[in-house]
Amino acid sequence: MDATLLAQQGIDWRPVIDGHFIPKDPRDLLRQNVTSGLRYMVGATSHDGSIYTLPFAGIPPTVARQLHLAKNYALGEYRFTTESAAIAFARSTITEYGLIQDPMDPLDLLTRATQQNTDFLFGMPAEESARLNEVGGATTYKYTLSVRYGYPLSYFPKAPSIRAEHFDTAIPFFGVFEEHPDVYSLTAEEMELNRAIRRYVANFAKNGNPNVGDPVTVQWPEYTASSRQFMNLDTPTTVETFDRERQYLFATEVLPAIVRVGKEADEARALSSKGKKCKKKGSKMGKSPRSKKD
């Protein structure tokens, strides 16, 4: 399905504020410390955004196509009526990720575009959620699944620059490799990683701490504002520190600011249009029968 059609259909996967189950914007709820005392685990895969980048990239992939996709995403997601707002959103996004010259090397373009979609739709929301929950008093554990599982080339070839994709979480979390050994031919190291991930999740579910219960080799650190540490689920598994503050600020401050300005432009345009209609209607009503006849 083309991204333009997705935008026209107005697909919106954001939380729905219904006044009951989600009474306010999730960010506002987190700022009110509603998670105080809770235990929270959050994360994403290293290349979650490939599910959107690769199918829509085009053959060959071009910067112009990425601009088109980003603009239509903005139109569909934010319902802009002023097209310039969507264009500003798209241009700032592709510029931030170095998608400037057209044509670009196809592999470089796909790598950058995938990172952009991963950050914007998965990675940075997970980082923001970890930060807000930690500030709100939750004991927080953050991860990134970055292991590169291989598939048979006849089934689903994986691009050279891609490691863990969106649906790869089903392999360690739900054990689909056991049901489909013909598709997932895992190495001994990958099998051990899957077992370790299950131990972490089971420990967290039972004890509120991924390190307590079944023995684990690498201690999963609690996410704090001072450390920004998370578990990198790979072979081998390592503890990493979040070091992409610029991209985080771009996703959580710059783009929302562009959206706000675009919405303000939409509102001003709507008010102006309404004022012109009222003025025109008032002008017609004010005419006398004689003037109408004349």
Side-chain angles (χ1 to χ4, degrees):
M1 184 179 294
D2 187 82
T4 304
L5 182 57
L6 290 174
Q8 291 172 347
Q9 292 179 345
I11 292 178
D12 189 348
W13 293 337
R14 291 173 297 179
V16 176
I17 302 173
D18 56 13
H20 302 284
F21 183 70
I22 303 182
K24 297 180 180 179
D25 186 285
R27 291 183 179 88
D28 293 334
L29 292 173
L30 289 171
R31 292 188 185 101
Q32 295 171 13
N33 296 352
V34 296
T35 58
S36 180
L38 297 180
R39 295 179 178 273
Y40 184 69
M41 182 181 288
V42 63
T45 71
S46 60
H47 293 95
D48 255 319
S50 64
I51 61 170
Y52 297 110
T53 309
L54 302 182
F56 299 136
I59 303 174
T62 64
V63 172
R65 179 66 175 164
Q66 304 313 306
L67 180 62
H68 169 78
L69 293 173
K71 186 185 79 171
N72 280 283
Y73 171 83
L75 286 170
E77 178 74 2
Y78 300 109
R79 314 291 201 276
F80 289 130
T81 58
T82 305
E83 188 176 16
S84 59
I87 293 174
F89 180 99
R91 286 180 175 171
S92 62
T93 302
I94 68 171
T95 300
E96 173 64 27
Y97 284 84
L99 295 162
I100 301 173
Q101 297 180 355
D102 197 359
M104 288 181 65
D105 173 72
L107 180 57
D108 185 35
L109 187 152
L110 286 176
T111 301
R112 291 173 181 270
T114 299
Q115 188 65 65
Q116 167 198 300
N117 287 333
T118 297
D119 283 353
F120 184 60
L121 298 173
F122 301 95
M124 297 311 167
E127 177 67 19
E128 183 181 33
S129 180
R131 295 189 184 196
L132 291 174
N133 274 278
E134 192 270 339
V135 170
T139 301
T140 304
Y141 298 93
K142 181 173 179 272
Y143 70 87
T144 295
L145 179 68
S146 57
V147 62
R148 179 184 166 90
Y149 292 116
Y151 309 131
L153 294 178
S154 60
Y155 175 72
F156 190 78
K158 183 175 286 192
S161 61
I162 303 298
R163 295 191 65 79
E165 297 186 275
H166 185 72
F167 297 108
D168 282 344
T169 53
I171 299 175
F173 284 88
F174 304 111
V176 297
F177 63 91
E178 296 172 345
E179 300 177 8
H180 303 282
D182 56 323
V183 175
Y184 304 102
S185 180
L186 304 185
T187 67
E189 290 79 9
E190 291 167 348
M191 292 286 285
E192 177 53 36
L193 172 64
N194 295 339
R195 287 189 285 267
I197 290 174
R198 291 183 182 186
R199 286 194 290 269
Y200 284 126
V201 174
N203 288 346
F204 181 77
K206 291 186 289 186
N207 307 303
N209 187 326
N211 305 303
V212 176
D214 292 332
V216 296
T217 304
V218 181
Q219 292 291 302
W220 191 326
E222 182 180 337
Y223 181 97
T224 65
S226 59
S227 71
R228 304 277 193 236
Q229 287 187 317
F230 64 93
M231 185 70 88
N232 181 33
L233 300 173
D234 198 354
T235 53
T237 293
T238 56
V239 174
E240 307 288 344
T241 301
F242 183 80
D243 61 355
R244 305 183 66 237
E245 194 67 18
R246 170 177 169 145
Q247 289 80 5
Y248 174 77
L249 293 175
F250 177 78
T252 59
E253 295 188 15
V254 176
L255 286 183
I258 293 174
V259 172
R260 285 194 297 271
V261 172
K263 288 296 185 182
E264 291 170 0
D266 284 350
E267 292 172 3
R269 183 179 181 182
L271 288 173
S272 176
S273 178
K274 184 178 180 181
K276 289 179 180 178
K277 289 181 180 179
C278 290
K279 185 176 181 181
K280 186 175 181 180
K281 184 177 180 181
S283 176
K284 288 182 178 180
M285 292 178 63
K287 290 183 177 181
S288 65
R290 181 183 294 274
S291 63
K292 288 182 180 179
K293 185 177 180 180
D294 294 342

